[in-house]
Amino acid sequence: MAITVAAAAVGFCGPVLAQQGGQQAQGNAAAQGDVNTLPPALRAAVLSGNPQQVTQALNTLSAGNPQRSAELAQAVVTAAERLLSVNPQAAIQAAAAAVETVRATTVQSSAPQQTVTVLTTAARIFVTPQVQAVAPVVAANVAAAAVAASATINNPAVTAAVCAQAVTVAERVLPVAPALAVQLASSAVQAVQSQPVMTSAPSQTMNVVTVAARVAISPDAQRVAPQTVASIAIAATQIASNPVVYQSSPQTAIAVMANAYTAATSQTVVAAVPSAGSTVTQTLNQASTTTSLSASNPTNASQINEILNRQQSTTRTATETSSGTAQQNTQQTTTTNTTTNNNNDTQPIIPSNTIFTSSPT
């Protein structure tokens, strides 16, 4: 009887397993198919997982033509996105080369649509769990390059979208590379601080400063880059108190202000930038008396007063280490509770013009 049941189980599972195997094979074939549409030299470079080779192939094939460069970069990043399921390491390295290509102003002016496609596709790639699992530092550097490129394309909506993805990467990479995380968060905040971005994409702008302010209250972030943390706190407070951004989510704005004030008045930041706390305080005092903010949130003044009296809760990013893997979660804690469990390993900040680096894994 047992043999009969086992045989029946095999008979039932066999088609299911065959179907799953077929679906996986189809997915691999689709990914390979996109790569196969690339010119041979470019295809070989992408599959090698070496971004320098991809860049060299792009430069050779474009022959200095910015329009052709943009078209090839778009083809590369499209193929990279399809490679995610089978080779995320090669995918993020190919995306790195594509983003580097469209950072050139001549490419941006000659092919604005292709530039936007490259940046938005790269943003989808560097934020994926597959890439975060195998190359978090590479992803952070690609995100930094994408933020820099998005800030110069005169497309506020795209800038806001790319920066929103970038700060997510910054928060994820914080346990293993706090200096890089802080720099990436700062770059994203600076990019969305322009009035056109805040006006056209207030919700995404709010998301950027929300995550950046969480990064700023991390003790590791303050330890490795207190000056940058101070600039994040100051800018985040100013952005959150902008009427258009504030009105998109008043309670989120209050949370940003609370985190920014906590960061700016921490002992580490005050020692490095003594004026940070007073600057943030001045902005908060002005926000508490701004009529438009009170119209959106009748408790605006009282909530800001609570922040200044350290009675407003903050939203902190905590890291827990389990089996050697850093896992992030968000928890509520009061401003008097400043305990976090962060990985203290520090990675060097990668220069803004260099995005090719190896993953710590």
Side-chain angles (χ1 to χ4, degrees), residues 107-164:
V107 173
Q108 293 178 6
S109 59
S110 300
Q113 187 56 53
Q114 286 87 350
T115 297
V116 166
T117 300
V118 169
L119 295 178
T120 54
T121 306
R124 291 197 301 268
I125 292 172
F126 63 62
V127 80
T128 59
Q130 301 99 304
V131 169
Q132 291 296 312
V134 301
V137 173
V138 177
N141 280 283
V142 176
V147 167
S150 72
T152 60
I153 63 173
N154 195 29
N155 190 323
V158 172
T159 299
V162 170
C163 289

Side-chain angles (χ1 to χ4, degrees), residues 314-334:
T314 61
T315 306
R316 185 177 298 280
T317 296
T319 56
E320 298 174 354
T321 303
S322 174
S323 302
T325 302
Q327 299 176 337
Q328 292 188 333
N329 60 77
T330 302
Q331 62 181 13
Q332 292 295 323
T333 180
T334 63

Side-chain angles (χ1 to χ4, degrees), residues 87 98 122 144 156 165 171-172 191 207 245 251 274-275 329 345 347 349:
N87 194 340
Q165 298 285 58
E171 191 170 30
R172 290 176 182 174
N207 182 66
V245 178
Q251 294 310 310
S275 63
N329 60 77
D345 293 337
Q347 296 287 339
I349 297 178

Side-chain angles (χ1 to χ4, degrees), residues 231-321:
S231 69
I232 291 174
I234 293 170
T237 308
Q238 294 170 344
I239 293 171
S241 60
N242 177 280
V244 176
V245 178
Y246 185 98
Q247 290 166 12
S248 70
S249 181
Q251 294 310 310
T252 303
I254 292 296
V256 171
M257 294 175 183
N259 280 351
Y261 182 75
T262 299
T265 57
S266 69
Q267 292 182 355
T268 304
V269 174
V270 168
V273 187
S275 63
S278 60
T279 301
V280 170
T281 298
Q282 182 179 5
T283 301
L284 291 178
N285 282 326
Q286 292 174 348
S288 69
T289 60
T290 301
T291 304
S292 59
L293 303 190
S294 297
S296 302
N297 175 23
T299 60
N300 174 65
S302 61
Q303 286 182 299
I304 292 179
N305 186 60
E306 289 176 355
I307 293 173
L308 296 174
N309 290 324
R310 300 188 183 279
Q311 297 172 341
Q312 182 70 235
S313 63
T314 61
T315 306
R316 185 177 298 280
T317 296
T319 56
E320 298 174 354
T321 303

Side-chain angles (χ1 to χ4, degrees), residues 92-93 95-96 99-100 103 126 131-132 135-148 166 169-170 173 177 180-181 183-184 347-360:
I92 188 61
Q93 297 289 13
V99 170
E100 193 67 20
R103 289 183 67 177
F126 63 62
V131 169
Q132 291 296 312
V137 173
V138 177
N141 280 283
V142 176
V147 167
V169 173
V173 82
L180 179 57
Q183 186 60 56
L184 177 55
Q347 296 287 339
I349 297 178
I350 308 301
S352 60
N353 61 349
T354 305
I355 60 175
F356 306 133
T357 182
S358 60
S359 165

